[in-house]
Every structure is written in structure tokens, then in C-alpha cells.
């Protein structure tokens, strides 16, 4: 098993339960949040979540994004014979600093906003009764919305973990999912088919010529790969790097908007058109992609007869999410399992 396991996730995600599972296995516990609480105490501040978030931001602003991670490295380094679970990673800089520890694996735990809100409402930590609106505001801040780069950036942390768990069931289910992570590391478990096909999608993403985001996609059926694709310029057309840069960047177009102003074909589109080119039926198949589909890809996926989309990282395209919420022919699943970085 890994000597060091880091945990990141939103409030109510259940990462604390994962930490308990590791402590039962003999791991020592340390939390970046506890360091923030100690600093808040020194400053005479009550330990409200808002105060703790502000103190954490201040520490990172003055000491660098990885300052809390560096403190943890120094502390656990005093007991090199021990295994540690490191909780409370909230900024990518902290994760990068912690990566200096040998064999560190970062696990992300999350759930839908509705489930997160309900859990926070039920646990009533510290006797403070929060309303739904207040919880949603705090979750937005944890995600990084309105936060400085050195502030709370849990969404970015979750997109760069080594293993991701969607905790929307029972504690027993959470335990089984985490056990699979541990058994993968020891070789006792084989990868799931989701993990196999997503790894292939990430491998295809290495061929991407897009300067903004490298995306790969795989279409599979009956546990067999049918086609694959990556994002880049159409056949015979020079890509952006050959033409002096990204047109969307030059025009200041935000991610998730004005997809027609782009030289590239998306990975999902390429996987679908490859099926058409070679006469491969993808009716009832599953599409794996390391990014949530945009609105153009969504419409193609729906009309191609694909049954399921398994996606990894999020993509901010409101119209795509609106259309997917209105349809009832396609199953959309967030990927769980071992993640591969491009």
C-alpha cells in the first residue's frame, strides 16, 4: 500500500470516512485543516468555516500556495517509519508540495451537490444550523468560484488526483470502492473496464494538437473498443501551433463558449466520424472521454445512438448540461477509478 495517501474533496464528501478506514489500517492522521485551526486560535478567531477559509487563504498568500503542504512534509518527515493519511488538500499547490513525499497517492472523494448539501444539513457540525443557500455558497467557494489562485481550489484538486471516488451510497459501498483502490496498488485487483477504457482515452489524448485542452475519447461495446479519437485539426488542415497560436485565445473566448470558432474537431466527434468512415455500428455503445462533452458533441452523441457517456473532468458548457438534463435516452456517469495524467 502507498506510504502516504492524501485526501481532497468538498465538505460532506466523505473523505473523513476514508481517513478513518486508513487509521484502522495503522495510518497516522494529519490534516492541513488542523494547521489552519491552530493559526486561527493564535489569532483569537472562532473556528467558523468562513474564518478558517480566510485564514487558510492568508497563509497561502503570504507563504505560497504550497505552504501548508510544506509544513506537513516537515512534520511527517520526523517519523519516516510511519505511514500517513494527509487530509484537507484544498489547493493544487499543496498537492504539488506533498508530491515531494515518496510514493504519495492523492485520492479525491466527491458527490453531487444535492447529496453534499443534505449531508451538511444532517450533520450540523459545531451546533451551527446552516440553510441550503449558505451551504451552496460555501461549496461554490470551495470549488474556487470567486477565489484567488492561492485560495480554495478544490475543483482543480479533484481534477488532478491519482484516484477518484464518487461517494453517493452507503458507507459500506464507500469502503468497497476504497478497498479496490488499495488492491489495485498491490496487484490483488484487476482494473475495471471503465478504468481500462478511460486509460486508453487518456492515451489517445496524448496525440491531441489543441493548445488549450488535450482530450481523448473511446467508444466501446460489449467490453471491446470500437473506435477512438482525440481533439485536433481535421485531416490535411494545419493545426493551431503551426499557425501561430490558438484563435480562441487571441479573441479572448472563454472555455465552453463559441465552439464554432475553433479549427479543431473534438475527440468525441472524431470517434463518432471514425465509426461512420469504417462502417462500424455504435448503436447502444458507451463513450469514454476524459472531459465532459460540449453541446456540439452532446447532440452528435445523442443522435449516434450511444447509450452511455462516462466522463472524467468537468467542462463548463451550460447549454450542454441543460440539454442532457432534458433528455432521457442517454446515461451520463462520472468516471471513478485510477486516473492517468496527459
Amino acid at each position: 500500500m502507498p506510504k502516504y495517501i492524501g485526501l481532497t474533496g468538498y465538505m460532506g464528501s466523505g473523505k473523513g470516512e476514508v481517513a478513518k478506514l486508513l487509521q484502522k489500517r495503522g495510518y497516522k492522521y494529519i490534516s492541513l485543516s488542523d494547521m489552519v485551526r491552530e493559526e486561527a486560535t493564535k489569532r483569537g478567531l472562532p473556528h467558523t468555516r468562513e474564518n478558517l477559509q480566510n485564514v487558510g487563504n492568508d497563509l497561502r498568500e503570504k507563504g505560497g500556495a504550497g505552504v501548508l503542504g510544506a509544513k506537513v512534509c516537515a512534520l511527517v518527515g520526523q517519523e519516516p517509519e510511519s505511514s500517513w493519511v494527509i487530509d484537507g488538500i484544498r489547493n493544487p499547490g499543496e498537492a504539488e508540495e506533498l508530491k515531494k513525499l515518496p510514493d504519495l497517492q492523492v485520492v479525491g472523494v466527491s458527490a453531487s451537490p444535492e447529496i453534499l448539501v443534505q449531508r451538511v444539513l444532517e450533520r450540523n457540525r459545531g451546533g451551527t444550523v446552516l440553510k441550503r443557500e449558505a451551504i451552496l455558497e460555501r461549496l461554490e467557494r470551495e470549488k474556487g468560484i470567486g477565489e484567488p489562485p492561492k485560495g480554495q481550489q478544490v475543483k482543480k484538486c479533484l481534477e488532478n488526483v491519482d484516484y477518484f471516488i464518487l461517494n453517493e451510497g452507503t458507507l459500506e459501498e464507500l469502503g468497497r470502492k476504497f478497498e479496490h483502490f488499495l488492491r489495485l496498488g498491490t496487484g490483488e485487483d484487476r482494473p475495471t473496464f471503465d478504468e481500462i477504457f478511460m486509460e486508453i482515452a487518456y492515451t489517445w489524448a496524448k496525440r491531441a494538437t489543441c493548445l488549450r485542452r488535450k482530450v481523448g475519447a473511446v467508444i466501446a461495446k460489449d467490453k471491446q473498443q470500437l473506435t477512438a479519437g482525440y481533439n485536433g485539426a481535421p485531416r490535411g488542415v494545419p493545426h493551431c501551433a503551426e499557425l501561430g497560436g490558438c484563435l480562441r485565445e487571441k479573441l479572448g473566448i472563454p472555455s465552453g463558449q463559441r465552439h464554432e470558432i475553433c479549427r479543431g474537431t473534438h475527440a468525441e466527434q472524431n470517434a463518432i466520424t471514425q465509426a461512420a468512415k469504417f462502417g462500424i455500428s455504435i448503436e447502444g455503445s458507451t463513450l469514454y472521454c476524459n472531459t465532459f462533452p460540449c453541446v456540439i458533441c452532446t447532440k452528435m452523441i445523442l443522435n449516434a445512438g450511444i447509450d452511455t457517456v462516462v466522463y472524467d473532468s468537468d467542462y463548463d458548457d451550460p447549454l450542454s448540461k441543460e440539454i442532457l438534463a432534458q433528455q432521457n435516452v442517454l446515461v451520463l456517469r462520472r468516471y471513478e477509478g485510477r486516473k492517468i495524467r496527459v
Side-chain angles (χ1 to χ4, degrees):
M1 293 192 298
K3 187 176 182 64
Y4 302 101
I5 296 178
L7 299 176
T8 186
Y10 304 116
M11 59 178 181
S13 63
K15 56 187 176 63
E17 297 299 330
V18 173
K20 291 177 184 177
L21 293 173
L22 285 167
Q23 286 177 280
K24 289 178 181 178
R25 289 176 170 267
Y27 278 72
K28 290 194 171 184
Y29 178 86
I30 189 169
S31 171
L32 280 71
S33 299
D34 287 344
M35 297 179 182
V36 176
R37 291 187 184 94
E38 290 175 7
E39 181 64 25
T41 299
K42 291 178 182 177
R43 300 183 184 188
L45 296 172
H47 290 186
T48 65
R49 184 169 289 271
E50 183 177 5
N51 282 345
L52 295 176
Q53 287 177 326
N54 290 338
V55 170
N57 284 6
D58 185 57
L59 289 172
R60 285 187 288 265
E61 184 60 36
K62 292 177 179 177
V67 62
L68 295 174
K71 289 178 181 292
V72 166
C73 288
L75 288 171
V76 302
Q78 296 173 13
E79 297 185 39
E81 73 287 349
S82 300
S83 295
W84 291 86
V85 52
I86 303 165
D87 197 3
I89 301 171
R90 290 186 170 83
N91 187 282
E94 295 165 350
E96 285 302 311
E97 193 67 35
L98 291 169
K99 281 291 183 181
K100 294 178 181 179
L101 294 170
D103 194 32
L104 174 80
Q105 292 282 295
V106 179
V107 177
V109 188
S110 190
S112 70
E114 294 77 15
I115 291 176
L116 294 175
V117 169
Q118 187 58 37
R119 286 176 181 162
V120 176
L121 285 171
E122 290 173 355
R123 74 185 184 187
N124 189 25
R125 179 175 288 177
T128 302
V129 179
L130 296 173
K131 294 184 178 179
R132 176 183 176 82
E133 294 74 18
I135 297 171
L136 285 171
E137 287 179 6
R138 293 185 180 186
L139 285 171
E140 293 287 284
R141 185 175 182 185
E142 279 197 333
K143 288 180 181 178
I145 297 174
E147 284 281 289
K150 293 181 182 179
Q152 303 261 325
Q153 298 288 343
V154 177
K155 182 179 179 181
K156 289 183 179 179
C157 291
L158 286 170
E159 290 176 353
N160 291 284
V161 297
D162 298 296
Y163 195 87
F164 179 78
I165 294 174
L166 196 61
N167 176 30
E168 297 184 342
T170 64
L171 287 177
E172 289 74 17
E173 290 170 334
L174 174 62
R176 286 195 295 271
K177 290 180 178 182
F178 189 69
E179 185 70 21
H180 174 64
F181 159 70
L182 295 176
R183 291 171 68 88
L184 272 178
T186 60
E188 297 173 87
D189 271 8
R190 294 185 295 169
T192 65
F193 280 102
D194 276 6
E195 288 171 319
I196 290 292
F197 290 127
M198 190 61 76
E199 182 173 343
I200 296 172
Y202 269 108
T203 299
W204 276 107
K206 295 176 182 179
R207 286 285 302 169
T209 58
C210 178
L211 301 177
R212 270 190 167 185
R213 182 188 296 258
K214 294 186 181 297
V215 182
V218 169
I219 297 177
K221 187 176 181 179
D222 297 330
K223 302 177 182 179
Q224 296 294 323
Q225 178 181 330
L226 300 179
T227 66
Y230 55 88
N231 59 332
R235 284 197 312 155
V237 176
H239 53 76
C240 296
E242 297 172 316
L243 296 174
C246 172
L247 176 61
R248 290 167 58 83
E249 287 285 354
K250 292 176 181 178
L251 296 175
I253 299 173
S255 178
Q257 300 179 24
R258 303 296 306 276
H259 300 289
E260 75 280 4
I261 303 179
C262 178
R263 299 182 65 82
T265 306
H266 287 189
E268 304 97 311
Q269 297 166 22
N270 276 325
I272 292 170
T273 55
Q274 285 296 305
K277 178 181 177 180
F278 292 108
I280 300 172
S281 173
I282 55 175
E283 184 81 25
S285 62
T286 297
L287 185 144
Y288 293 85
C289 189
N290 61 321
T291 301
F292 189 94
C294 75
V295 64
I296 296 174
C297 291
T298 291
K299 291 183 285 188
M300 289 184 66
I301 289 166
L302 288 169
N303 283 347
I306 293 170
D307 275 357
T308 305
V309 168
V310 181
Y311 72 95
D312 193 354
S313 60
D314 194 18
Y315 184 63
D316 189 16
D317 188 332
L319 184 54
S320 173
K321 293 178 179 178
E322 179 183 335
I323 289 174
L324 286 166
Q326 293 168 339
Q327 58 82 38
N328 57 7
V329 296
L330 179 74
V331 175
L332 191 70
R333 286 198 286 115
R334 177 71 188 268
Y335 170 69
E336 296 185 77
R338 185 166 52 192
K339 293 173 63 110
I340 308 296
R341 291 187 177 87
V342 181

